[in-house]
Amino acid sequence: LGERYVLVNIPAFYLKAVDKDNTVLTSRIIVGSIKNATPLFQRPITEVSFNPQWHVPDRIAREEFIGKIRSTPDYLEKGNYIVKNRDGEILNASEVNWENETGKNYRFVQRSGDKNALGKVKFNLPDTNSIYLHSTGSPKLFAKAERALSHGCIRVEMAKELAYFVMSGFTGWNEERIAKLYDSSTSKIIRVTPIPV
């Protein structure tokens, strides 16, 4: 894996960041449920996305969102979602007859902010079928002993500290600047020197 890498231990629910054989960060994580197991992979972190938007995967839209929209009319508004057609045009969700929809004709995007499922930061991994590491707006879940609770992504309790690790030594980015961006509402994607995961 090289001198610097991140190791995710799925069954033990923890992550560690290693630099020259020294573990410099250990964090609790939440991984995929039995139904939505986190896959095994080895890919690099190539980007760090602060205050990201969440593009809801098609499977989740079909299997979960449509039912929630039908049962809770203000679900999209409360969750800070926008609805787009397949051409990317933003639609007025209140004009869609959700009773007759399967979810195949629409894409859902959750705006960045306090309600965002990805939290404050996302670590992008190429070619992992929408699996990535990210923070969360539900930190209380890290207190559970069994943390197989996600749709497959890896939620990181110490996400800000992981950003420090991934971006350390990266020109112009020190902990103070990273923390300021993390704590802000500004959305920004930073390309980084790849870190193996």
Side-chain angles (χ1 to χ4, degrees), residues 57-187:
D58 289 342
R59 181 181 57 81
I60 296 175
R62 284 191 315 272
E63 294 177 5
E64 298 180 28
F65 263 54
I66 296 302
K68 289 177 180 177
I69 295 166
R70 288 177 186 154
S71 65
T72 311
D74 59 351
Y75 179 79
L76 294 171
E77 184 181 342
K78 281 187 173 179
N80 204 16
Y81 291 96
I82 57 175
V83 179
K84 296 182 178 183
N85 65 18
R86 290 294 172 170
D87 294 327
E89 297 172 288
I90 296 176
L91 305 174
N92 183 340
S94 64
E95 294 177 2
V96 176
N97 181 356
W98 295 108
E99 292 302 320
N100 298 321
E101 288 299 334
T102 61
K104 292 180 181 177
N105 299 317
Y106 302 98
R107 295 191 185 280
F108 302 93
V109 179
Q110 190 178 38
R111 295 179 184 96
S112 58
D114 294 338
K115 297 177 183 178
N116 189 283
L118 303 178
K120 298 292 289 178
V121 64
K122 176 177 80 161
F123 302 89
N124 294 326
L125 306 154
D127 305 319
T128 54
N129 295 319
S130 297
I131 300 295
Y132 28 77
L133 285 75
H134 64 86
S135 59
T136 180
S138 303
K140 63 182 183 282
L141 296 177
F142 290 109
K144 293 179 174 280
E146 295 287 327
R147 295 189 296 276
L149 305 167
S150 81
H151 284 93
C153 283
I154 300 141
R155 301 179 201 167
V156 182
E157 182 176 37
M158 299 178 71
K160 185 191 292 187
E161 292 79 3
L162 183 60
Y164 296 159
F165 173 77
V166 170
M167 297 175 71
S168 68
F170 201 61
T171 306
W173 289 97
N174 57 24
E175 288 190 9
E176 182 180 348
R177 187 175 176 205
I178 294 166
K180 186 174 179 182
L181 181 56
Y182 183 95
D183 294 333
S184 77
S185 59
T186 302
S187 294

Side-chain angles (χ1 to χ4, degrees), residues 18-75:
V18 177
D19 188 4
K20 298 177 183 168
D21 295 326
N22 295 313
T23 298
V24 295
L25 172 68
T26 302
S27 175
R28 288 183 283 192
I29 60 172
I30 293 168
V31 300
S33 65
I34 292 172
K35 179 183 174 188
N36 300 294
T38 299
L40 300 180
F41 62 84
Q42 183 175 324
R43 293 285 187 276
I45 293 171
T46 57
E47 296 174 335
V48 181
S49 178
F50 290 91
N51 298 298
Q53 291 187 335
W54 180 40
H55 296 263
V56 179
D58 289 342
R59 181 181 57 81
I60 296 175
R62 284 191 315 272
E63 294 177 5
E64 298 180 28
F65 263 54
I66 296 302
K68 289 177 180 177
I69 295 166
R70 288 177 186 154
S71 65
T72 311
D74 59 351
Y75 179 79

